[in-house]
Amino acid sequence: MTIDQTTDATLLAALPGYPARPGKIVAVHLSYSSRAEQRGRRPAAPSYFFKASSSLARTGGTVERPAGTELLAFEGEIALVIGEPARRVPLGSAWDHVAWVTAANDLGLYDLRANDKGSNVRSKGGDGYTPMGPHLIDARTVDPGALRVRAWVNGELRQDDTTAGLIFPLAQFVADLSQHFTLERGDVILTGTPAGSSVIVPGDVVEVEVDAPASGATSGRLVTTVVAGPDIPFDAAVGSLPSVDDTQREEAWGSREAAGLGAPGAEGAEPGQPVAEAGDATEAGRSAADGPASVISPASVISPALRAKLERVPVAGLSAQLRKRGLNNVTIDGVRPLHPGRKLVGTAKTLRFVPGREDLFASHGGGYNAQKRAFDAVGEGEVIVIEARGEAGSGTLGDILAIRAQARGAAGIVTDGGVRDLDAVSAVGIPVYTVGAHPAVLGRKHVPWDLDTTIACGGTTVQPGDVIVGDADGVIVIPPALAEAVADAALAQEDEDAWIAARVAEGHPVDGLFPMNAQWRERYAAEHGASS
């Protein structure tokens, strides 16, 4: 890359006591709700990757798109510059270790993602792939929860979001990373990008700005121009060659439509269904650039044929089959359906509430909290399963959230807490299981804490992607790997039980018939075989 390495870190070099370059650049994979919704997955905790300090570039410079590649993408981000070393610092004081805030462009070449998975060494480590600047904002003068990041391509606004849309607060990145290593003076944290990132080509000019609208403080416009790299091919003898497919194109451009691939559902993809990462079909929806997947895709667990089976078999039959396999603690106890005549079948999307505490509710209960994020992100065929510790002293959802879940195509909602606006929730029609009604709002007993993590609901453990089935008897949790076998066995048992019931109706005693002894078993096998 044609980067002036003597001036690529002028921001820091001009500050007394700072190194010419930061020792570390740490970048967050996925951090904004808008980006998570676009990608169809939401992390339960931050994940990171390192960028080379030699990737730093100043404003007004150029970045090369290497010969033979097509998917260079920009990502406007807020960069944090560490002032005081941070090691095992608590969340409450983590922001004190941030000296400055500025704009950054976390450029990446999707053509090189395949072999590096979430490390992004080659795809994001190139010379000039981390422009920063042009000015530093004193972190002590701004509210970290009220910063804005915007990006323009050729003068057209492409990204516009604020830190209110973050999944994790900025200070959490500092506290989290400091648990594992010392953040040193001059280190940089790139805090992730919102929706709107897309592909850029030679001749494009990208501008990124970070500001604090309340005070007017700004980083100024960080300007980078894309140029074509020299006609020097990558050497297959020493490493990975560029490789792209439609999955990479969709994620680089931001959508199938923008990539010219047609609407979702074309070429075999189901509407609303994340596309599996190339080369890793076992983790549907995983993006190498956005770190490890946190949830199993619903469609990867419940096929249409399996769904049909689960809709036919009663929960009691599934319970019996799981018990035969040594699984006894798989029922969500204490919950009853608002619509007893409707069957519930789907995969779990989990949401956890912790006991109410005023200070925690103040920090986690307002704004775009975990409860709202769960209902906004639930996918088609998923069941929102809520851990409320069996505490029915307040509602864990109301009619607005029920409507949102239904609009998103959710299969249902299960909560071991209360429901408020019960009549209105019932009228929505989506299957809901709850311990009962309560008029109080969430803050009375609960704090919405996190989602897409292992929870306890109604006395049993529920993991994201578990198969959830409910009827008038209650709700059962089935490990995904067992779902097909359990459904088949339960259906076979249903046929057998129906035959036994018919014999009892004819006047036969249950002794020896239920369960069947050898004589009855032989008769059943003969008749069953004859009717098959």
Side-chain angles (χ1 to χ4, degrees), residues 190-374:
L190 304 180
T191 59
T193 197
S197 164
S198 193
V199 172
I200 45 179
V201 300
D204 283 345
V205 177
V206 183
E207 299 172 273
V208 181
E209 180 182 11
V210 169
D211 68 341
S215 66
T218 178
S219 67
R221 296 273 183 107
L222 170 67
V223 182
T224 304
T225 301
V226 185
V227 298
D231 191 14
I232 302 173
F234 289 92
D235 187 350
V238 296
S240 177
L241 292 178
S243 174
V244 299
D245 56 22
D246 285 353
T247 297
Q248 303 299 341
R249 291 186 179 96
E250 177 182 355
E251 296 212 335
W253 282 95
S255 69
R256 293 181 62 84
E257 294 89 341
L261 302 174
E267 303 181 12
E270 296 182 9
Q273 175 59 39
V275 183
E277 181 72 12
D280 195 0
T282 60
E283 294 186 37
R286 174 172 177 167
S287 163
D290 286 340
S294 58
V295 227
I296 299 172
S297 161
S300 69
V301 174
I302 304 182
S303 66
L306 176 56
R307 181 176 295 277
K309 294 176 186 177
L310 293 172
E311 288 174 347
R312 288 171 52 202
V313 69
V315 165
L318 295 169
S319 176
Q321 293 304 318
L322 287 168
R323 182 178 177 85
K324 288 180 180 180
R325 289 161 174 77
L327 294 175
N328 294 305
N329 194 21
V330 287
T331 55
I332 296 179
D333 295 339
V335 300
R336 302 301 301 166
L338 298 188
H339 302 282
R342 295 196 59 186
K343 194 68 176 289
L344 171 66
V345 177
T347 50
K349 181 174 185 63
T350 58
L351 169 62
R352 183 168 69 107
F353 295 139
V354 298
R357 209 177 86 183
E358 290 77 4
D359 60 327
L360 295 180
F361 192 82
S363 61
H364 289 74
Y368 197 45
N369 61 36
Q371 180 196 45
K372 294 176 182 177
R373 297 199 306 268

Side-chain angles (χ1 to χ4, degrees), residues 181-196:
F181 49 78
T182 300
L183 290 169
E184 299 170 312
R185 187 172 175 84
D187 284 349
V188 173
I189 301 174
L190 304 180
T191 59
T193 197

Side-chain angles (χ1 to χ4, degrees), residues 12-25 80-87 96-100 140 181-189:
L12 303 181
L15 301 173
Y18 274 81
R21 287 185 188 163
K24 296 182 285 296
I25 303 174
L80 310 181
V81 182
I82 298 298
E84 294 300 322
R87 178 65 169 138
D96 296 340
H97 295 261
V98 179
W100 285 277
R140 294 166 297 182
F181 49 78
T182 300
L183 290 169
E184 299 170 312
R185 187 172 175 84
D187 284 349
V188 173
I189 301 174

Side-chain angles (χ1 to χ4, degrees), residues 27-50:
V28 182
H29 278 118
L30 188 58
S31 61
Y32 282 86
S33 296
S34 61
R35 177 83 158 181
E37 184 170 348
Q38 185 181 50
R39 289 293 172 91
R41 55 192 170 274
R42 191 180 197 88
S47 63
Y48 310 93
F49 59 96
F50 285 102

